[in-house]
Amino acid sequence: MAPPKVYGWAISPFVSRALLALEEAGVDYELVPMSRPAGDHRRPEHLARNPFGQVPVLEDGDLTLFESRAIARHIFRKHKPELLGAGSLERSAMVDVWLEVEAHQLHPAAGAVVVECVFAPLLGRARNQVAVDENLEKLRKVLEVYEARLAQSTYLAGDFLSAADLSHFTVMHYFMATEYAAIVEALPHVRAWWEELAARPAARKVAGFMPLGAGPAKKDL
């Protein structure tokens, strides 16, 4: 059976979330590179894979999926269900809770800072500092909740690494390259959690697909 295919540009934190799941699960895969400036995501063949014209898309045999968090859950459900808390209703419920927290509390704030501080300069536009400041304040409040949680358990869903932790890596990889990384470093439990997450072999490999600063990846933002 052919390895699964991921369509998109790896610099995207959404595409790289799917790649991280595959790397963590030890699954061979093919990354099918696309170009955003060339409009590859708006071509009919891609719209047939994802009618919203977004990346990533996963093709796994006869199954075609979009939305990076759904892709990651599918990969773990198939290949590494322990990362979803399989076998325990309590564990799986806590994984679900913190996956939702990442999607609805942390990512909107951290992602907005990343867009302005990392991607805006590469796209040739000025940073919106008002948006940065507003979202930093939101992120500080979210991270205070994380600090309290991680003071009680090693990882977000409990004392086991899960998809909930891993889902944070890609946007936080970019955030930690901004001048605002100190808000993470000031929280000892969050800092320790982040450092362990970033040191994982799969995370280190995927980070190599996510170059920071101006460079050849600029064309694929």
Side-chain angles (χ1 to χ4, degrees):
M1 187 173 179
K5 293 181 179 180
V6 177
Y7 293 82
W9 40 90
I11 192 173
S12 158
F14 302 103
V15 175
S16 52
R17 176 182 284 117
L19 300 183
L20 179 65
L22 288 159
E23 292 286 347
E24 281 284 350
V27 177
D28 290 332
Y29 62 90
E30 178 187 352
L31 174 62
V32 181
M34 297 173 59
S35 171
R36 186 175 185 268
D40 289 351
H41 56 308
R42 295 295 182 189
R43 298 186 191 281
E45 59 268 28
H46 188 70
L47 291 172
R49 292 185 284 260
N50 181 351
F52 296 105
Q54 296 172 332
V55 294
V57 167
L58 176 78
E59 286 184 350
D60 185 11
D62 294 332
L63 180 66
T64 299
L65 294 176
F66 51 89
E67 297 295 343
S68 64
R69 293 174 182 87
I71 289 170
R73 284 196 296 270
H74 165 71
I75 292 163
F76 293 143
R77 196 175 291 123
K78 182 175 179 180
H79 299 284
K80 209 163 185 180
E82 62 269 27
L83 290 174
L84 295 172
S88 164
L89 285 175
E90 182 178 328
R91 283 187 167 215
S92 59
M94 293 308 297
V95 173
D96 285 347
V97 166
W98 285 95
L99 279 169
E100 292 294 312
V101 171
E102 182 274 322
H104 300 293
Q105 304 293 336
L106 184 133
H107 189 101
V113 175
V114 166
V115 165
E116 297 302 327
C117 296
V118 177
F119 292 123
L122 297 180
L123 293 169
R125 72 167 177 82
R127 175 191 296 191
N128 180 342
Q129 190 62 42
V130 172
V132 171
D133 293 343
E134 288 177 352
N135 283 285
L136 281 173
E137 188 57 32
K138 293 176 185 176
L139 185 60
R140 282 191 184 94
K141 292 177 180 176
V142 171
L143 288 175
E144 288 172 3
V145 175
Y146 277 57
E147 179 69 8
R149 173 63 178 172
L150 293 167
Q152 297 174 340
S153 62
T154 308
Y155 301 102
L156 292 172
D159 290 323
F160 64 103
L161 179 82
S162 77
D165 305 290
L166 296 170
S167 193
H168 289 74
F169 173 71
T170 57
V171 73
M172 291 303 296
H173 169 71
Y174 283 128
F175 180 82
M176 294 302 290
T178 74
E179 65 264 44
Y180 303 109
I183 74 170
V184 168
E185 292 161 356
L187 299 169
H189 294 95
V190 174
R191 183 183 69 245
W193 166 79
W194 165 251
E195 288 174 351
E196 181 180 338
L197 188 61
R200 294 183 65 77
R204 292 170 68 88
K205 182 170 181 180
V206 171
F209 304 148
M210 305 167 69
L212 294 159
K218 178 177 178 179
K219 65 182 185 300
D220 287 329
L221 292 177

